[in-house]
Amino acid sequence: MKPNFEPHFFWDTDTEKLDWQKAYKAVIARIVERGGQDEIDELVRFYGHEKVIKAIRDEIFFLPNYAIDRALEFFPGLTKEEMYCYLNRKDKPYHWI
């Protein structure tokens, strides 16, 4: 079984050969970056709310700043400060000793 996403979201991937369960972090990151509410709803339907939130919060190591903001819009209970991809950004200010 696979989720119901438009093919253009995965233009660089052979979706017939994609293991949707193993590639969940990449799929979730791609949809958060490029999808709308319908695609987010499909993510939650396919993977479950808890798995999507856990991936966004703890397992996805990079999202661009605009995608972090989109994740916060899609999932109001989420905060930037608990997202690994936000805490790990290269553009954040550092305090030098």
Side-chain angles (χ1 to χ4, degrees):
M1 195 166 119
K2 64 180 188 173
N4 186 22
F5 293 120
E6 293 293 326
H8 70 268
F9 287 108
F10 300 96
W11 71 92
D12 57 348
T13 304
D14 182 349
T15 57
E16 295 304 315
K17 294 181 180 176
L18 183 63
D19 185 330
W20 293 93
Q21 293 304 322
K22 285 184 181 176
Y24 73 95
K25 289 187 276 187
V27 171
I28 292 169
R30 175 78 56 101
I31 294 300
V32 168
E33 274 189 64
R34 301 174 187 277
Q37 188 63 56
D38 289 343
E39 289 77 27
I40 294 297
D41 292 345
E42 180 62 8
L43 270 182
V44 171
R45 183 199 67 77
F46 187 75
Y47 291 116
H49 188 267
E50 189 174 312
K51 185 170 185 168
V52 172
I53 292 294
K54 183 176 180 352
I56 293 170
R57 188 185 58 228
D58 303 328
E59 299 176 328
I60 295 172
F61 297 143
F62 176 80
L63 284 174
N65 289 335
Y66 76 88
I68 291 171
D69 292 337
R70 289 170 57 89
L72 299 175
E73 290 175 23
F74 291 134
F75 301 100
L78 207 53
T79 65
K80 283 182 179 180
E81 294 74 24
E82 65 182 334
M83 294 172 67
Y84 182 82
C85 59
Y86 177 78
L87 298 172
N88 196 40
R89 292 173 322 153
K90 300 300 180 212
D91 66 339
K92 70 180 177 183
Y94 289 92
H95 297 285
W96 300 100
I97 296 176

